[in-house]
Amino acid sequence: METSIERAPSVDRDQTTIYEQLTARGVSRRDFLKFCGWMSACMGLGADGMAQIAEALETKKRIPVIWMHFQECTCCSESFIRSSHPIVADILLDKISLDYTETLMAPSGHQAEASLQDTIKKYHGEYLLCCEGSIPTAADGVYCCIGGKTAADIVREVAEGAKAVIAWGNCACSGCVQAAKPNPTSATPINKVITGKPIVNVQGCPPIAEVMAGVLVHLLTFDRIPQLDALGRPMAFYSRRVHDTCYRRPNYDAGLFVESFDDENARKGYCLYKVGCKGPTTYNSCGTIRWNGGVSFPIQSGHGCIGCSESNFWDAGPFYQRLSDFPGFGIETTADKVGLGLGAATIAGAAAHAVLTNIRKHHEIGEQPGESAAEAPPTPATDSHGKGGK
Amino acid sequence: MHATASSAGAPGFQRVYVWELPVRFYHWLNALCILVLTVTGFIIANPPAINTASEASFSYWFGTTRFIHFVTAYVFVFNFAFRIYWGFVGNQYADWKNFLPLRLAQFREVMSVLKVDILQSSNRPLLAVGHNALAYLTYFVMFLVFLFQVASGFAMYANMSDAWFPHLFTWMTPLFGGDAGLHFWHHLATWFFILFTLIHVYLVFYHDYVEGHGVLSSMAGGWKFLPSSALKSPDGKSWFGGAKAREADDKAGPVI
């Protein structure tokens, strides 16, 4: 079975539609439509979304894809190829569209470089550039070089002829762990290196496979960049907080909180807010699409969200504390500790000032000459100036 | 405490209507809002685990706490907007131009207040009919923190609301790298209000204790009681609340 699918691609992949290539590889009409329906549901499209996707795949040619790897761990690729649906990874991208990717392609060395240059020339202005990883800019970018060229040079060169750019994962979107303080290599997200191209930030460490597939299918189906939020993330997957889609949310509203990971409340599945869950500040689809084909997600497994689809989530820690530490005051100094310290200093200052006032201004304090009750003029003498001093 | 007043027996005091009713109303509603926002804010940041072993559907106290926070935020915003409006139509002591020491006279008064009231290197009396210039400046800084709290708060709230108003502030989120940064700074800025309140209340007591002009009660009735001699300055009609005090100062020679 496997071999027959492998042997099938005798069709010219530039001349035939995606649907034709899929069926040539043994995908049934039924499976194809199931995939379209499933993608449509993931993307939150309306009732006709499935038909739109099916029509697009039936009528459109493939999009050539160049998939680059820079400062990253390849967990985005790992996530993607583990998508629960075979069409996504094995067929849609890997065997149909992918023209260059360091980790999955057969050629290496000069052959690989030649295939990259071929793709850039042949599909100039048409191909999609997918980037995994951040770009180091310190020391002229020597911290990440491929084939003798720096990541910054490569990405600029490849992006120049790209139709659009997809930044996969937190590395490409905001630098992830290598951009955490002190960021020794000046790891820089893609959107700060490339200008003048539409860039989609598909956040997460890694992004959910279905989200990655959904973004690709959206580009394929609608031929335009999906609606993005203020941080460049597709609204279809990143418009709601993990908190808003969390099945433990009723516990939050009811004030039922886990206080430590080994307490009775943790066993009962209460909200993980107080043990540092970053769900309330994290935008992702973990609560709805979940992971590994919808099996689970971190909160369901009893661990708080660490906020991996947000910028600087490594520095916004600790992971098991609600608010970040206050910078510059050492470990475990929260804003509240700083505030309490300043409050105590303020009260001490006010008390000292009060003492000083009684010493320096003692002539002005209390009864002054002519102010004793005995000396007071008969009323209403003090009102002689009349009312309304406006 | 004025030499002229005390030597002549009972000092001649005049009742001056400084704080109009809308200003007083704003002040106390604002104080109430800040109290409610601070208390609910700290509960939201670190809720006590008061419920255990109950079904989530039985209770909604944390949701209610957040609701109170959000509703109070709206009251706070519109109350603040009203105060800005009143800075244009209110009396000379409420005027918006007092809040920035752009004129030399205002700047000099700031320095005088620092010498007389804060460092107490000088004992010469200072008389401000409205706030003194340093107080006005402090309130201006406080207004900036108000704006920050409003913008950061509504930027965080925007994703829970379809209303247009919170969405005016969504530009804040990218500036802070995401919601987590907003939460952090929103939380930190709350401490400004706590420190402000400590100093504010202390200084009101201080001024009433030392000067005896009824500043503490002025925010209830609107009147201050000021030496009539100091009020009878030649022009008598300056828009700047502290100007009369400064003129009195100039006559008495420079502050040491």
Side-chain angles (χ1 to χ4, degrees):
Chain A
M1 183 62 193
E2 183 67 21
T3 48
S4 69
I5 291 177
E6 290 299 325
R7 213 178 293 137
S10 53
V11 284
D12 182 343
R13 61 180 195 165
D14 281 337
Q15 296 305 316
T16 51
T17 66
I18 294 166
Y19 176 67
E20 283 166 338
Q21 292 177 57
L22 288 173
T23 46
R25 286 161 203 273
V27 174
S28 69
R29 175 80 185 164
R30 182 182 173 81
D31 281 344
F32 170 74
L33 289 177
K34 272 160 75 177
F35 168 75
C36 296
W38 177 69
M39 269 292 108
S40 160
C42 278
M43 292 156 70
L45 298 178
D48 61 344
M50 173 188 167
Q52 283 179 291
I53 293 173
E55 193 192 343
L57 296 178
E58 281 168 351
T59 54
K60 287 185 181 167
K61 313 274 193 300
R62 71 184 194 107
I63 307 179
V65 171
I66 295 176
W67 187 309
M68 311 295 298
H69 299 258
F70 301 114
Q71 285 183 303
E72 48 98 9
C73 71
T74 319
C75 75
C76 301
S77 295
E78 289 286 341
S79 172
F80 192 76
I81 62 178
R82 273 157 185 70
S83 166
S84 57
H85 203 289
I87 289 183
V88 174
D90 288 350
I91 300 175
L92 186 70
L93 203 84
D94 186 11
K95 299 200 179 82
I96 294 181
S97 277
L98 210 55
D99 287 281
Y100 176 88
T101 180
E102 289 97 337
T103 46
L104 293 173
M105 68 198 297
S108 61
H110 293 294
Q111 287 177 316
E113 289 304 307
S115 98
L116 174 61
Q117 293 303 327
D118 285 351
T119 310
I120 292 174
K121 278 196 203 86
K122 193 171 167 192
Y123 302 109
H124 200 269
E126 292 170 43
Y127 61 83
L128 193 63
L129 169 59
C130 296
C131 281
E132 242 181 283
S134 55
I135 313 292
T137 55
D140 294 327
V142 295
Y143 294 110
C144 182
C145 290
I146 302 163
K149 285 193 276 188
T150 64
D153 288 341
I154 296 170
V155 79
R156 285 198 194 100
E157 181 191 345
V158 180
E160 193 271 320
K163 189 178 187 182
V165 180
I166 298 180
W168 289 138
N170 202 296
C171 294
C173 298
S174 57
C176 207
V177 69
Q178 62 273 24
K181 290 186 186 96
N183 192 1
T185 65
S186 292
T188 308
I190 299 297
N191 63 8
K192 291 199 178 140
V193 177
I194 297 173
T195 48
K197 293 282 171 186
I199 298 175
V200 183
N201 281 339
V202 184
Q203 267 279 21
C205 186
I208 302 170
E210 285 74 12
V211 170
M212 301 172 78
V215 171
L216 285 171
V217 170
H218 186 285
L219 289 168
L220 203 61
T221 307
F222 300 108
D223 250 339
R224 58 169 180 238
I225 296 293
Q227 191 187 0
L228 305 178
D229 72 2
L231 299 168
R233 301 174 293 194
M235 296 281 277
F237 305 106
Y238 297 93
S239 64
R240 305 202 69 199
R241 301 177 302 170
V242 172
H243 190 54
D244 294 325
T245 51
C246 179
Y247 77 102
R248 297 194 187 201
R249 177 60 187 265
N251 295 288
Y252 171 85
D253 290 327
L256 296 167
F257 298 108
V258 173
E259 298 261 39
S260 75
F261 282 108
D262 56 356
D263 70 3
E264 182 65 22
N265 295 354
R267 199 170 305 135
K268 286 185 177 130
Y270 288 171
C271 175
L272 297 161
Y273 182 74
K274 290 190 77 179
V275 287
C277 180
K278 301 293 185 289
T281 52
T282 304
Y283 292 77
N284 208 337
S285 297
C286 299
T288 47
I289 296 176
R290 307 198 181 188
W291 289 81
N292 301 318
V295 172
S296 183
F297 72 116
I299 294 165
Q300 192 175 345
S301 308
H303 190 285
C305 168
I306 62 172
C308 77
S309 59
E310 294 293 321
S311 304
N312 308 321
F313 76 103
W314 295 100
D315 289 332
F319 291 149
Y320 302 106
Q321 186 175 298
R322 167 82 193 107
L323 276 176
S324 320
D325 281 339
F326 193 84
F329 283 80
I331 296 167
E332 298 200 345
T333 308
T334 59
D336 290 334
K337 283 184 186 167
V338 174
L340 277 173
L342 289 174
T346 304
I347 291 169
H353 192 266
V355 171
L356 181 71
T357 302
N358 279 296
I359 296 167
R360 292 279 300 168
K361 297 194 189 290
H362 68 276
H363 288 305
E364 300 165 47
I365 293 164
E367 188 179 283
Q368 303 291 314
E371 284 185 353
S372 69
E375 293 173 83
T379 47
T382 49
D383 205 19
S384 58
H385 297 291
K387 273 194 164 189
K390 236 174 165 180
Chain B
M1 72 200 189
H2 265 259
T4 51
S6 46
S7 59
F13 273 89
Q14 182 168 335
R15 198 169 77 157
V16 183
Y17 191 61
V18 179
W19 309 125
E20 299 153 293
L21 180 63
V23 173
R24 277 133 57 201
F25 184 80
Y26 157 79
H27 174 273
W28 291 113
L29 185 58
N30 194 45
L32 180 68
C33 284
I34 289 177
L35 179 68
V36 171
L37 286 167
T38 304
V39 170
T40 54
F42 276 111
I43 292 173
I44 291 165
N46 189 18
I50 53 175
N51 283 0
T52 49
S54 63
E55 288 291 333
S57 52
F58 289 168
S59 163
Y60 196 73
W61 78 260
F62 194 60
T64 307
T65 305
R66 294 173 67 245
F67 179 75
I68 293 169
H69 192 81
F70 303 145
V71 169
T72 312
Y74 271 108
V75 175
F76 176 83
V77 167
F78 291 114
N79 191 38
F80 180 39
F82 169 77
R83 179 63 184 86
I84 293 171
Y85 163 74
W86 201 255
F88 291 90
V89 301
N91 69 11
Q92 57 182 320
Y93 310 113
D95 197 287
W96 66 274
K97 290 190 287 294
N98 293 331
F99 287 86
L100 273 179
L102 296 176
R103 302 197 328 173
L104 183 65
Q106 288 165 292
F107 179 75
R108 283 171 58 199
E109 191 182 317
V110 168
M111 303 312 287
S112 298
V113 173
L114 282 173
K115 280 180 197 157
V116 174
D117 289 324
I118 307 302
L119 302 173
Q120 300 190 352
S121 59
S122 162
N123 259 355
R124 276 190 345 82
L126 266 176
L127 182 70
V129 182
H131 302 300
N132 66 53
L134 180 61
Y136 275 123
L137 178 62
T138 309
Y139 298 143
F140 178 73
V141 174
M142 186 186 70
F143 288 162
L144 294 181
V145 182
F146 281 0
L147 284 177
F148 174 77
Q149 288 299 71
V150 168
S152 59
F154 278 100
M156 290 186 282
Y157 180 70
N159 59 58
M160 300 173 236
S161 168
D162 287 331
W164 59 271
F165 185 76
H167 287 270
L168 294 177
F169 301 99
T170 46
W171 51 270
M172 286 287 283
T173 314
L175 294 182
F176 291 82
D179 276 16
L182 277 181
H183 273 267
F184 178 79
W185 288 103
H186 191 77
H187 187 100
L188 194 64
T190 305
W191 281 98
F192 174 87
F193 296 110
I194 296 168
L195 301 182
F196 174 88
T197 306
L198 287 172
I199 298 170
H200 177 71
V201 171
Y202 168 73
L203 284 178
V204 171
F205 275 79
Y206 162 85
H207 280 289
D208 222 8
Y209 181 63
V210 173
E211 296 167 353
H213 296 159
V215 64
L216 183 55
S217 69
S218 71
M219 205 39 85
W223 296 286
K224 282 190 183 178
F225 301 88
L226 300 163
S228 27
S229 56
L231 288 170
K232 283 172 187 159
S233 53
D235 66 340
K237 214 188 160 206
S238 171
W239 54 263
F240 171 44
K244 284 161 185 160
R246 183 181 49 74
E247 284 155 12
D249 256 14
D250 289 348
K251 281 175 213 145
V255 174
I256 309 151

